[in-house]
């Protein structure tokens, strides 16, 4: 439940976003996570590992055709590998910090 992203009062399941993005033919792995946002509280972001050619724009357009606008990741980070936690699982919580997307207060 902690993983739910709260974007301006809209509740978004990262697993739902993952599922849609994984349907993209060029995406091998994805982890959707919350990115802190000054006005909305949290914003949707996704880290992806590609198995084909795709740009951030392609991925966002693909998502926009398949889900409500507020669920579409505002930021898509293309990576060689998604960082895993101590258990070997992808860690949604703290992902924004791991990727250097959050300024530490």
């Amino acid at each position: 439940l902690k993983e739910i992203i709260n974007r301006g009062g809209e509740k978004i399941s990262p697993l739902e976003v993952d599922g849609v993005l994984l349907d993209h033919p060029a995406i091998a792995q994805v982890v959707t996570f919350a990115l802190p946002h000054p006005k909305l509280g949290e914003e949707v972001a996704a880290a992806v590992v590609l198995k084909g050619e795709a740009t951030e724009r392609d991925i966002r357009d693909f998502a926009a055709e398949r889900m409500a606008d507020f669920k579409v990741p505002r930021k898509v980070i293309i990576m060689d590998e998604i960082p895993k936690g101590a258990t070997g699982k992808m860690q949604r919580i703290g992902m924004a910090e791991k990727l250097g997307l959050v300024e530490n207060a």
Side-chain angles (χ1 to χ4, degrees):
L1 203 72
K2 262 197 187 111
E3 294 182 347
I4 294 293
I5 299 167
N6 185 345
R7 181 181 184 269
E10 299 280 6
K11 305 287 190 282
I12 302 155
S13 163
L15 288 173
E16 180 188 351
V17 180
D18 284 357
V20 170
L21 294 179
L22 280 172
D23 285 341
H24 191 293
I27 294 178
Q29 284 185 301
V30 62
V31 60
T32 303
F33 58 95
L35 185 61
H37 188 280
K39 288 201 178 69
L40 296 170
E42 293 178 327
E43 188 55 273
V44 183
V48 299
V49 175
L50 298 179
K51 59 185 176 192
E53 289 291 312
T55 65
E56 177 176 357
R57 175 90 252 155
D58 295 338
I59 294 165
R60 292 187 61 224
D61 288 348
F62 179 89
E65 289 169 13
R66 289 163 175 78
M67 63 176 109
D69 182 62
F70 70 89
K71 296 179 181 181
V72 175
R74 293 300 175 253
K75 182 146 191 70
V76 174
I77 299 103
I78 297 171
M79 310 182 72
D80 294 331
E81 185 177 57
I82 291 172
K84 304 225 177 7
T87 59
K89 284 178 147 170
M90 291 186 277
Q91 305 278 307
R92 287 181 206 285
I93 298 177
M95 182 62 76
E97 289 85 352
K98 279 194 192 88
L99 300 178
L101 301 174
V102 179
E103 294 181 19
N104 295 330

